[in-house]
Amino acid sequence: MTINQPLIRDVDYEFYDRELSTFIPDQIYDAHTHLFDAAHFKPEGADFPASVGLDEYRELIDVLHPGRDVSALFIPIPGPREMADAANQWIAEQQARDDRSRGLFYFHAKDDPEWIREEVKRLNLHGLKCYHVTSSRRPTWESAIPEYLPEEVVRIANEEGWVITLHMVKSRAVADAENYELIRDWCQRYPNMKLILAHSARGFQPAHNWEGLHHLKGLPNLYFDSSANCEALAHIAVLKILGHENFMYGSDFHVSHLRGRSLAVADTFLWLYEQTPVWEERHQSIEPVLVGLEHLRSLKWTALSLGLSDSQVEDIFFRNAQRLLGVE
């Protein structure tokens, strides 16, 4: 495959050389990334290939960290129920091609829990991906966690020793008492289930992390992936309050290959994309880089702010995920 232009531009290579080339370790375990096939999903906003499997993913992700040895936890892109089975099959086929990679099973809130168990085993996947769009609440962004992650599914994950990647919602994310109380309760009652809070606890507004994460201390089966969060203070809050041992790098491909960044504002956040009319200032014209590069720079700022050692940075970029997923 040849990467399509203008998916990758000179400004991206220049940004990498200036900001990241000496920071990123030689090995990467991408703990939150998506593969897709046009038959069940086609991303908008960039000139992506029709299908992205293991080979295409590795070529595309090489733009963010060139020449690194990469494996990943592959996740279907959440979509309608009629496309979920094909998306899960695609993930299973691709992760089977790399002994170190793993895959998650995307389910809908009303799927039969025992059917979910059987399908994860049949496909030789390693855990679950839930998403708020399967909730019956409207708007789904204000859903309580059990409305898209039923407790019976969590119980099965505990019995099977699976991971669950959770993109929590509600307007204040982990600062919402209903969210942090439930997470604490489930992690304590289901200790063999490993819960990953995506996007640094969806801390796109870092103030929510500083307020809520104190309630989640002492949970060894609670993990975080950094995926696409461009706010260094969100990651810093996770590491300062809970430590770095359960914190993992995740690119959130394909979002990583859109242009712009997340931005904290007021008591919430917004996303600036290339199409957002903010890039023309009176004194200069700004060319946005890939979200994945902005995200990696936020991790560099995190490491510099906290004085992380090279070994701790390596933990975040690959060892923590390998330990969680049982990768040699």
Side-chain angles (χ1 to χ4, degrees), residues 30-37 40-41 43 48-49 51-54 56-58 60-61 72-79 87-88 90-91 94 102-104 106 128-131 165 167 198-199 225 227-228 250-257:
D30 186 348
H32 186 132
T33 198
H34 302 278
L35 304 180
F36 58 84
D37 182 84
H40 49 78
F41 180 84
F48 290 104
S51 296
V52 174
L54 178 65
E56 293 82 6
Y57 160 77
R58 281 182 165 161
L60 287 160
I61 212 68
L73 177 62
F74 295 125
I75 305 173
I77 294 178
N88 286 322
W90 180 253
I91 293 293
Q94 300 306 312
R102 301 289 186 260
L104 297 187
Y106 170 57
L128 303 170
K129 168 63 177 177
C130 57
Y131 203 52
T165 293
H167 176 149
H199 314 295
D225 72 50
S227 52
S251 70
D252 203 7
F253 177 83
H254 70 288
V255 173
S256 61
H257 284 52

Side-chain angles (χ1 to χ4, degrees), residues 24-284:
I24 302 172
D26 292 337
Q27 188 172 350
I28 300 290
Y29 203 99
D30 186 348
H32 186 132
T33 198
H34 302 278
L35 304 180
F36 58 84
D37 182 84
H40 49 78
F41 180 84
K42 182 66 172 73
E44 297 180 356
D47 190 15
F48 290 104
S51 296
V52 174
L54 178 65
D55 295 336
E56 293 82 6
Y57 160 77
R58 281 182 165 161
E59 183 172 351
L60 287 160
I61 212 68
D62 193 65
V63 173
L64 300 184
H65 18 74
R68 271 60 170 194
D69 178 16
V70 179
S71 290
L73 177 62
F74 295 125
I75 305 173
I77 294 178
R81 184 67 196 82
E82 60 269 20
M83 298 299 180
D85 293 344
N88 286 322
Q89 182 67 40
W90 180 253
I91 293 293
E93 292 170 359
Q94 300 306 312
Q95 66 96 30
R97 298 176 54 216
D98 176 18
D99 290 341
R100 295 179 300 171
S101 287
R102 301 289 186 260
L104 297 187
F105 181 89
Y106 170 57
F107 68 94
H108 276 231
K110 293 184 179 180
D111 287 342
D112 177 71
E114 288 301 328
W115 174 82
I116 293 172
R117 189 203 303 259
E118 293 170 3
E119 284 295 285
V120 174
K121 290 183 173 182
R122 181 182 69 83
L123 294 171
N124 196 31
L125 296 174
H126 299 81
L128 303 170
K129 168 63 177 177
C130 57
Y131 203 52
H132 66 91
V133 296
T134 74
S135 168
S136 59
R137 183 183 294 268
R138 295 295 181 272
T140 64
W141 283 108
E142 291 301 324
S143 297
I145 294 170
E147 292 175 318
Y148 56 102
L149 175 59
E151 185 172 358
E152 179 64 12
V153 176
V154 178
R155 182 187 65 78
I156 289 173
N158 183 66
E159 293 173 356
E160 301 292 344
W162 291 339
V163 302
I164 302 174
T165 293
L166 170 66
H167 176 149
M168 80 177 85
V169 287
K170 299 176 75 69
S171 61
R172 305 196 74 245
V174 77
D176 186 291
E178 186 176 13
N179 279 343
Y180 67 67
E181 288 173 359
L182 185 75
I183 290 168
R184 183 167 193 86
D185 177 51
W186 280 1
C187 284
Q188 290 175 327
R189 288 197 292 116
Y190 301 109
N192 204 37
M193 174 271 304
K194 293 88 173 178
L195 185 64
I196 304 171
L197 299 185
H199 314 295
S200 289
R202 211 212 71 177
F204 295 117
Q205 170 47 265
H208 299 158
N209 280 7
W210 289 101
E211 182 178 342
L213 287 176
H214 293 279
H215 300 281
L216 299 179
K217 292 180 178 180
L219 301 173
N221 57 334
L222 181 64
Y223 289 76
F224 301 81
D225 72 50
S226 64
S227 52
N229 192 325
C230 301
E231 292 286 352
L233 279 173
H235 314 314
I236 291 170
V238 177
L239 272 61
K240 286 281 285 184
I241 296 170
L242 301 175
H244 86 282
E245 294 85 356
N246 286 16
F247 182 74
M248 305 175 293
Y249 166 68
S251 70
D252 203 7
F253 177 83
H254 70 288
V255 173
S256 61
H257 284 52
L258 302 177
R259 295 189 175 276
R261 60 162 292 160
S262 61
L263 183 68
V265 61
D267 193 42
T268 185
F269 63 93
L270 53 83
W271 276 92
L272 302 180
Y273 293 111
E274 185 172 28
Q275 298 77 19
T276 311
V278 297
W279 305 105
E280 292 292 335
E281 295 288 335
R282 286 185 297 175
H283 64 291
Q284 64 178 332

